[in-house]
Amino acid sequence: MKLLVYAVRLRALAKQAAAWERPGPRSSPSAGQRCRASAKAAETRSDLLSRPCVTARIMRPDDANVAGNVHGGTILKMIEEAGAIISTRHCNSQNGERCVAALARVERTDFLSPMCIGEVAHVSAEITYTSKHSVEVQVHVMSENILTGTKKLTNKATLWYVPLSLKNVDKVLEVPPVVYSRQEQEEEGRKRYEAQKLARMETKWRNGDIVQPVLNPEPNTVSYSQSSLIHLVGPSDCTLHGFVHGGVTMKLMDEVAGIVAARHCKTNIVTASVDAINFHDKIRKACFRQTPAHSLFCKRVRPLAPLRTVSLQDEKRKGPGSR
């Protein structure tokens, strides 16, 4: 008798469950509802793109220089990474061919105050101007002492990027326009764009000027302080295209400039300022990258451009006696 009662109850529960799972009539959204939903999604996407890109990272002992502060090249690399994120995101905001933003130029950058180990670096990047094929990004770096809550501005930089197609790295795509809050912003941005374009063309003609090393140079001369770093480009140094990140290149340039300055000054040194850097050629993975530098004037050191790269495949093809 009890088994029969349980069977009846189970059958009733099964009917109730089937009734709950049976789909009822649903009303399809109207054209107005679909339009409002699409507009809301576009507004959300536009709001996301207009927001600054903020990255944060705690500074560790392996980020330090010989003076005990954060290495200037590490900060330059973080600046470039934030700029690459926001510019790549903006360039892919519209339906079309996918791309990656490549660094083309960095304006003069001053190190306003040192950043210490244990502090948190907040890197904020914002798009301030777009032309047909380039993006201007303004970056600010703040250091935070997480024990006291004290914050200070350490760096400000302006970077220019160009979108390169994922299918064809030599193809530069068009940049979606950015919305300006004031008409003056667009006019001022256009002036900055023309100025940097002219400066890039001027440096491109001097792209092969490299001071040759001198055997047994006299102390305290340009040749005496000259140094050169050779770096094998690995996968961790590269973008989706297989070419070196601009931030990796800037970090290497800062390292060799620091070697030159320390050799000349015979003491600990820190990076105080970096002049404008132009990126004219791409550096491919599995290439040797040589970065020469020499002192120009007391209290001022700059790395030489361009970087010299030698492909491993080219070296094997040439052979040791073909130079």
Side-chain angles (χ1 to χ4, degrees), residues 232-235 238 242 283-288 310-313:
L232 176 61
V233 178
C238 298
I283 305 176
R284 190 180 293 274
K285 180 175 62 178
C287 287
F288 286 111
V310 181
S311 172
L312 292 177
Q313 291 80 1

Side-chain angles (χ1 to χ4, degrees), residues 18-52:
W20 290 340
E21 294 177 357
R22 189 180 299 116
R26 296 182 180 180
S27 58
S28 59
S30 63
Q33 291 175 337
R34 290 195 298 269
C35 183
R36 286 192 294 270
S38 178
K40 185 176 181 180
E43 182 180 355
T44 303
R45 176 67 174 171
S46 176
D47 182 62
L48 178 62
L49 291 172
S50 61
R51 296 177 184 175

Side-chain angles (χ1 to χ4, degrees), residues 178-246:
V178 68
V179 179
Y180 303 97
S181 58
R182 294 181 292 105
Q183 183 65 27
E184 293 79 7
Q185 291 180 337
E186 183 176 7
E187 296 176 357
E188 294 171 357
R190 187 180 296 108
K191 294 179 181 178
R192 295 192 301 269
Y193 167 75
E194 295 296 338
Q196 68 86 24
K197 186 177 180 180
L198 180 61
R200 276 180 54 81
M201 293 302 297
E202 292 177 351
T203 58
K204 192 172 184 178
W205 294 109
R206 304 194 306 267
N207 205 24
D209 297 340
I210 298 178
V211 177
Q212 298 299 326
V214 178
L215 296 178
N216 301 322
E218 297 182 2
N220 301 324
T221 61
V222 171
S223 300
Y224 182 79
S225 65
Q226 185 173 1
S227 298
S228 181
L229 288 182
I230 298 178
H231 174 74
L232 176 61
V233 178
S236 61
D237 300 324
C238 298
T239 64
L240 296 176
H241 287 117
F243 295 96
V244 178
H245 275 287

Side-chain angles (χ1 to χ4, degrees), residues 82-142:
I85 291 173
I86 193 170
S87 55
T88 300
R89 179 187 295 164
H90 177 79
C91 293
N92 290 278
S93 60
Q94 296 181 355
N95 295 329
E97 192 172 350
R98 296 305 175 188
C99 63
V100 172
L103 183 63
R105 176 179 170 86
V106 181
E107 305 291 353
R108 176 188 173 94
T109 304
D110 293 320
F111 290 77
L112 306 177
S113 59
M115 187 180 301
C116 302
I117 302 303
E119 294 183 336
V120 175
H122 299 271
V123 186
S124 176
E126 183 179 11
I127 294 176
T128 51
Y129 179 76
T130 58
S131 66
K132 186 177 181 180
H133 296 292
S134 61
V135 182
E136 181 191 44
V137 179
Q138 297 279 351
V139 181
H140 292 77
V141 182
M142 300 286 296

Side-chain angles (χ1 to χ4, degrees), residues 26 45-47 61 67 72 76 84 106 120 146 160-161 164 166-167 173 202 236 272 274-275 304 313:
R26 296 182 180 180
R45 176 67 174 171
S46 176
D47 182 62
L76 292 174
V106 181
V120 175
I146 55 178
W160 292 88
Y161 291 85
L164 303 180
L166 282 176
K167 299 179 180 179
L173 303 181
E202 292 177 351
S236 61
V274 177
D275 283 342
L304 290 179
Q313 291 80 1

Side-chain angles (χ1 to χ4, degrees), residues 225-230 256 259-260 263 289-293 308:
S225 65
Q226 185 173 1
S227 298
S228 181
L229 288 182
I230 298 178
V256 67
I259 293 173
V260 170
R263 177 176 293 171
R289 179 176 56 178
Q290 181 178 1
T291 310
R308 297 168 59 188

